[in-house]
Amino acid sequence: MNHHFLLIVHLLSAAIWVGGHLLLVFAYLPKALREKNQRIILEYEKKYEPVGMPALALLVITGVMMAYKYGVSIENWFHFETSVEKVVSVKLTLLLITVLFALSAQFRVIPKLKNNADKLSEMSFHIITVTVIGVVMLVLGSFVRFGGI
Ligand code: HEM
């Protein structure tokens, strides 16, 4: 598939993934914490999930396809040897951490948060970490056009 097309899909997905999380961190999370109302977060998550998860899946698919076009295939991953391969390997590591946080939020935190506003601080930690990782992934991606890291 055309690299430019993959990049456009990658950028649109990044806008949805990072933008959605920044909106949560800067608009919904402070309101939920101020009002001690976990429902604000739970309702946002419910609406965002059907858009956010496909965006993350597209980021991985288009990212891996572009990595192949840069000559970074699966047998080179995690060697941390060449500049673009380093970007790809760090991004894949951060992706794994994101997935672990998403699973922890989904199966550990959210079920308890439904009946207990005290879990808001743990949920905030999950949300802020995933958002910061998303921003770091975006910044890392921007390095590729300058030759990698
Ligand atoms: C939260 C997840 C991710 C975000 C927010 C993200 C964001 C970005 C952004 C903003 C760019 C810059 C494109 C440009 O310079 O115009 C980029 C490039 C890139 N990303 Fe990602 N990315 C993510 C995940 C991934 C993953 C999982 C991979 C692959 C393993 C990947 C591989 C790449 C590659 C190879 C490029 C270079 C494309 C090019 O400049 O031609 N990304 N990414």
Side-chain angles (χ1 to χ4, degrees):
M1 214 179 286
N2 180 286
H3 191 114
H4 192 186
F5 174 73
L6 291 173
L7 182 57
I8 291 168
V9 176
H10 199 76
L11 289 174
L12 278 173
S13 307
I16 294 170
W17 182 255
V18 180
H21 278 87
L22 288 174
L23 186 67
L24 180 55
V25 165
F26 288 112
Y28 291 87
L29 187 58
K31 192 171 190 290
L33 289 172
R34 237 183 356 254
E35 297 177 10
K36 290 193 178 16
N37 180 0
Q38 72 271 42
R39 237 170 254 155
I40 294 171
I41 304 286
L42 293 170
E43 275 162 25
Y44 181 84
E45 291 274 358
K46 210 157 84 188
K47 279 185 230 144
Y48 174 72
E49 218 178 65
V51 186
M53 292 323 281
L56 183 62
L58 280 174
L59 277 167
V60 180
I61 295 166
T62 53
V64 169
M65 286 173 87
M66 288 191 297
Y68 267 75
K69 287 184 185 283
Y70 278 108
V72 181
S73 46
I74 191 160
E75 56 269 24
N76 307 115
W77 295 355
F78 305 114
H79 287 191
F80 297 93
E81 275 165 1
T82 62
S83 346
V84 175
E85 178 263 319
K86 272 190 224 158
V87 173
V88 172
S89 299
V90 176
K91 277 187 149 195
L92 287 166
T93 308
L94 292 175
L95 172 72
L96 182 70
I97 298 171
T98 300
V99 170
L100 293 178
F101 266 93
L103 290 175
S104 162
Q106 217 37 254
F107 297 108
R108 283 185 46 254
V109 188
I110 292 178
K112 288 184 219 146
L113 185 66
K114 281 183 181 146
N115 309 308
N116 185 0
D118 291 345
K119 286 278 154 192
L120 266 174
S121 54
E122 201 177 342
M123 190 61 190
S124 307
F125 175 69
H126 280 66
I127 292 168
I128 292 169
T129 308
V130 169
T131 306
V132 170
I133 291 177
V135 172
V136 171
M137 302 264 268
L138 178 149
V139 174
L140 274 171
S142 72
F143 273 94
V144 173
R145 70 169 75 198
F146 300 106
I149 52 174

